[in-house]
């Protein structure tokens, strides 16, 4: 059964190739959408090529609603978006995928039922299809090559849906055990170790530039997020270099 989570229905209008239906199902499942509606598929339904291309998202195809026409697919919907890459002379608001999915989330939270229409691969949605939508979604693409594959278009919208409704982490440190990061004291000892040995080696030369060179070295340590293991390794590198020099 489809999940209980409120979400827009993805409506594929007269899709032509089973492979693209499967790719759309895969894109939906990647980003937490599982309500597909298929309107008058050219090659009939079910479609073995769609199943093969879905790559693990076959459940969406098994549960997809099949409709003979678009009005039937939208019978229970209260707000409909239509995706198109071409300008249309229709008095409808036009949204980016990001803003459209923000609006979809708001309407679903208010108890509405939302659908997003995707047209057939050859030419996209017809004006008669778009006339049944409340708003248009247009993807910012290269104007010299605005054609998107059906699966790609579904992927873009599904990704924006996840961005608006999921717990998206936009930046994170590399994972590590709790308490594994080096402390300020450990970084200070590392800096002192290197400064002492480099000074002995005559690195801070000429004398009038020594202070600035030491500051640059300190800045180097502060720009790197070091773990305790990193600090131990860097201490070990310096100790080994000193031993090698002394043996020579």
């Amino acid at each position: 059964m489809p999940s209980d989570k409120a979400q827009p229905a993805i409506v594929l209008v007269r899709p032509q190739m089973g492979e693209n239906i499967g790719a759309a199902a895969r894109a939906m499942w990647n980003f937490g959408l599982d309500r597909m509606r298929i309107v008058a598929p050219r090659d009939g339904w079910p479609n073995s090529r769609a199943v093969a291309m879905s790559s693990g998202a076959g459940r969406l195809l098994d549960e997809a609603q099949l409709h003979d026409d678009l009005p039937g697919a939208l019978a229970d919907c209260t707000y409909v978006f239509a995706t198109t890459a071409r300008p249309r002379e229709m008095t409808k608001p036009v949204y980016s995928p990001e803003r459209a999915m923000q609006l979809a989330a708001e309407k679903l939270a208010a108890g509405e039922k939302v659908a997003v229409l995707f047209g057939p691969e050859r030419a996209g949605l017809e004006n008669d299809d778009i006339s049944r939508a409340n708003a248009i979604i247009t993807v910012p693409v290269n104007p010299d090559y605005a054609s998107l594959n059906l699966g790609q278009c579904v992927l873009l919208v599904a990704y924006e849906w996840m961005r608006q409704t999921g717990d998206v982490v936009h930046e994170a440190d590399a994972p590590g055990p709790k308490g594994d990061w080096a402390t300020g004291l450990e970084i200070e000892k590392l800096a002192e170790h290197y400064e002492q040995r480099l000074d002995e080696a005559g690195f801070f030369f000429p004398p009038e530039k020594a202070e600035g060179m030491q500051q640059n070295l300190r800045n180097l340590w502060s720009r790197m997020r070091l773990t305790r293991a990193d600090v131990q390794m860097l201490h070990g590198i310096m100790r080994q270099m000193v031993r090698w020099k002394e043996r020579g």
Side-chain angles (χ1 to χ4, degrees), residues 3 16 34 87 207 243:
S3 66
Q16 296 169 325
D34 61 2
R243 292 191 192 103

Side-chain angles (χ1 to χ4, degrees), residues 7-245:
Q7 60 181 269
I10 301 300
V11 184
L12 309 184
V13 182
R14 300 181 300 279
Q16 296 169 325
M17 297 178 63
E19 291 88 344
N20 287 332
I21 300 173
R26 184 174 181 174
M28 289 173 61
W29 194 227
N30 281 150
F31 297 104
L33 295 171
D34 61 2
R35 297 179 189 175
M36 176 183 283
R37 300 181 184 186
I38 304 172
V39 178
R42 183 191 66 182
D43 296 336
W45 196 256
N47 187 303
S48 60
R49 292 182 177 180
V51 175
M53 189 65 184
S54 66
S55 187
R59 178 177 71 81
L60 273 71
L61 302 178
D62 293 338
E63 297 169 351
Q65 295 182 17
L66 182 64
H67 296 272
D68 294 329
D69 54 33
L70 185 55
L74 301 179
D76 63 338
C77 297
T78 61
Y79 199 90
V80 178
F81 294 96
T83 60
T84 178
R86 303 194 308 276
R88 307 282 183 149
E89 295 181 358
M90 297 186 182
T91 309
K92 297 179 187 293
V94 179
Y95 299 109
S96 68
E98 179 180 14
R99 178 60 187 131
M101 291 303 96
Q102 289 175 347
L103 186 59
E106 293 169 7
K107 291 186 175 298
L108 286 160
E112 295 198 50
K113 290 191 175 182
V114 177
V116 184
L117 307 183
F118 297 86
E121 297 89 324
R122 183 180 61 83
L125 293 168
E126 297 178 357
N127 285 344
D128 186 57
D129 303 320
I130 297 174
S131 69
R132 292 180 165 82
N134 303 99
I136 290 173
I137 299 175
T138 296
V139 177
V141 293
N142 178 3
D144 295 328
Y145 189 65
S147 176
L148 285 174
N149 174 273
L150 175 60
Q152 291 174 322
C153 194
V154 172
L155 180 72
L156 285 168
V157 172
Y159 169 70
E160 291 297 342
W161 169 257
M162 176 63 79
R163 286 187 66 230
Q164 303 309 318
T165 60
D167 296 326
V168 179
V169 178
H170 294 284
E171 183 174 350
D173 290 320
K178 184 177 180 180
D180 193 44
W181 297 116
T183 65
L185 178 60
E186 289 166 335
I187 298 296
E188 184 70 21
K189 293 298 183 183
L190 177 66
E192 290 175 357
H193 184 191
Y194 269 70
E195 287 174 18
Q196 176 189 347
R197 294 303 189 183
L198 289 171
D199 187 45
E200 292 171 356
F203 177 77
F204 299 114
F205 182 85
E208 62 270 20
K209 293 186 178 181
E211 183 177 353
M213 295 173 72
Q214 289 173 345
Q215 288 178 352
N216 288 339
L217 188 59
R218 294 278 175 147
N219 284 330
L220 174 65
W221 303 129
S222 66
R223 286 197 301 269
M224 294 189 292
R225 189 81 191 276
L226 297 173
T227 65
R228 287 178 170 170
D230 295 332
V231 169
Q232 292 169 3
M233 182 183 68
L234 289 166
H235 276 300
I237 289 171
M238 180 56 77
R239 284 192 291 266
Q240 188 61 31
M241 291 176 67
V242 171
R243 292 191 192 103
W244 174 77
K245 181 64 172 63

